[in-house]
């Protein structure tokens, strides 16, 4: 897909582990890992809001569009 | 699927599972009893017909119990196993609808006349089989929707 999720980059910036973020967001590690690796088809506003609150970032920081 | 919805579904199916298991056992006992009756009086064909009907009811309720147990185990109503069981239920009902109802009338001390008839009950059973078959196709669509929903974070 042309839209890439940059969750790993922001997590590294904030020095937050996957387990820690999963606990804060209320998701399972497996689901968050799938989201991080781009295996998910989509993301709910509810989940995006929780991630943005946990990582103190904007939704735009999480995604990047690249031309294929 | 949402964990809360799964838990609610598991709670809701608890009584249904127990009831279907109990009725399934009752149908099996009835079927065996009718078959023993047929073994004792081979001239009475209605025993055989009733035994086969009870066997169909046993198979239907058994499959229903297995479906409910599967739902209780996974918390998901849409799965390939459930769809297969629903299709099997439909096929068994369609076959069960072809079992004629028999009645034996004694002509004299040693001779019996057996009448075999297809009535509205058979058509009703076949109709229910068709409905369950259609329902299994609805479950196929439900499964694809569930898979789609599960791939959204």
């Amino acid at each position: 897909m042309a839209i890439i999720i940059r969750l790993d980059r922001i997590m590294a910036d904030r020095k937050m582990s996957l387990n820690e973020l999963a606990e804060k967001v209320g998701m399972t590690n497996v689901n968050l890992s799938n989201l991080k690796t781009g295996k998910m088809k989509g993301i709910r506003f509810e989940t995006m809001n929780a991630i943005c609150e946990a990582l103190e970032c904007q939704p735009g920081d999480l995604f990047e569009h690249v031309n294929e | 699927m949402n964990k809360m919805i799964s838990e609610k579904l598991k709670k809701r199916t608890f009584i249904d599972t127990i009831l279907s298991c109990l009725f399934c056992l009752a149908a099996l006992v009835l079927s065996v009893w009718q078959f023993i009756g047929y073994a004792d009086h081979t001239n009475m064909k209605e025993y055989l017909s009733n035994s086969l009907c009870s066997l169909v009811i046993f198979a239907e309720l058994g499959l229903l119990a297995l479906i409910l147990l599967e739902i209780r185990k996974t918390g998901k109503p849409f799965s390939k196993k459930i769809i297969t069981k629903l299709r099997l239920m439909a096929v068994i009902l369609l076959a069960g609808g072809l079992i004629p109802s028999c009645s034996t009338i004694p002509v004299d001390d040693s001779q019996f006349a057996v009448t075999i008839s297809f009535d509205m009950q058979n058509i009703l059973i076949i109709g229910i089989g068709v409905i369950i078959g259609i329902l299994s196709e609805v479950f196929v669509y439900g499964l694809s929707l569930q898979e789609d929903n599960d791939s959204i974070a």
Side-chain angles (χ1 to χ4, degrees):
Chain A
M1 206 180 355
I3 292 172
I4 299 166
I5 187 149
R6 293 293 184 199
L7 197 60
D8 48 350
R9 203 171 58 186
I10 299 167
M11 278 166 66
D13 286 348
R14 307 289 191 275
K15 292 184 175 61
M16 196 180 280
S17 70
L18 188 86
N19 288 347
E20 202 181 333
L21 182 64
E23 201 178 307
K24 280 187 176 177
V25 172
M27 281 173 80
T28 61
N29 292 1
V30 179
N31 270 353
L32 195 63
S33 175
N34 284 341
L35 181 67
K36 205 177 87 170
T37 49
K39 284 176 189 164
M40 288 287 187
K41 273 187 190 173
I43 182 168
R44 291 187 183 87
F45 281 126
E46 196 186 355
T47 314
M48 208 193 304
N49 181 50
I51 291 172
C52 288
E53 272 180 14
L55 293 171
E56 291 171 356
C57 65
Q58 291 298 313
D61 302 333
L62 293 171
F63 305 101
E64 195 179 311
H65 180 263
V66 287
N67 288 323
E68 278 183 322
Chain B
M1 190 186 253
N2 193 322
K3 255 187 175 178
M4 230 171 70
I5 298 171
S6 290
E7 288 304 315
K8 274 185 184 174
L9 190 66
K10 281 181 185 179
K11 277 181 191 171
R12 273 209 307 269
T13 51
F14 179 69
I15 302 287
D16 301 336
T17 311
I18 292 169
L19 281 178
S20 59
C21 285
L22 287 175
F23 285 132
C24 176
L25 277 174
L28 181 65
V29 170
L30 188 69
S31 176
V32 170
W33 183 59
Q34 291 285 337
F35 196 76
I36 290 167
Y38 175 68
D40 289 343
H41 314 277
T42 45
N43 293 326
M44 308 290 271
K45 299 293 178 199
E46 52 258 53
Y47 276 123
L48 186 65
S49 162
N50 289 346
S51 171
L52 285 173
C53 282
S54 304
L55 210 62
V56 167
I57 295 167
F58 159 71
E60 290 298 313
L61 289 170
L63 284 167
L64 184 67
L66 287 174
I67 287 172
L68 289 168
L69 283 170
E70 180 81 20
I71 291 172
R72 280 190 60 74
K73 201 168 77 180
T74 58
K76 289 177 180 180
F78 303 108
S79 76
K80 280 181 184 171
K81 282 182 184 175
I82 290 175
I83 291 165
T84 312
K85 284 184 186 95
L86 276 173
R87 282 182 179 160
L88 197 60
M89 276 175 87
V91 170
I92 290 170
L93 270 179
L94 289 174
L98 299 175
I99 299 170
S101 47
C102 303
S103 56
T104 313
I105 306 152
V107 180
D108 55 47
D109 287 346
S110 59
Q111 283 187 321
F112 296 93
V114 178
T115 56
I116 295 168
S117 63
F118 286 94
D119 47 23
M120 280 307 287
Q121 270 187 351
N122 295 76
I123 295 164
L124 186 72
I125 292 167
I126 291 169
I128 295 168
V130 170
I131 289 168
I132 292 177
I134 293 166
L135 204 66
S136 75
E137 291 308 309
V138 174
F139 270 64
V140 172
Y141 184 60
L143 177 65
S144 92
L145 281 181
Q146 185 181 273
E147 281 172 352
D148 210 38
N149 187 55
D150 287 349
S151 65
I152 294 172

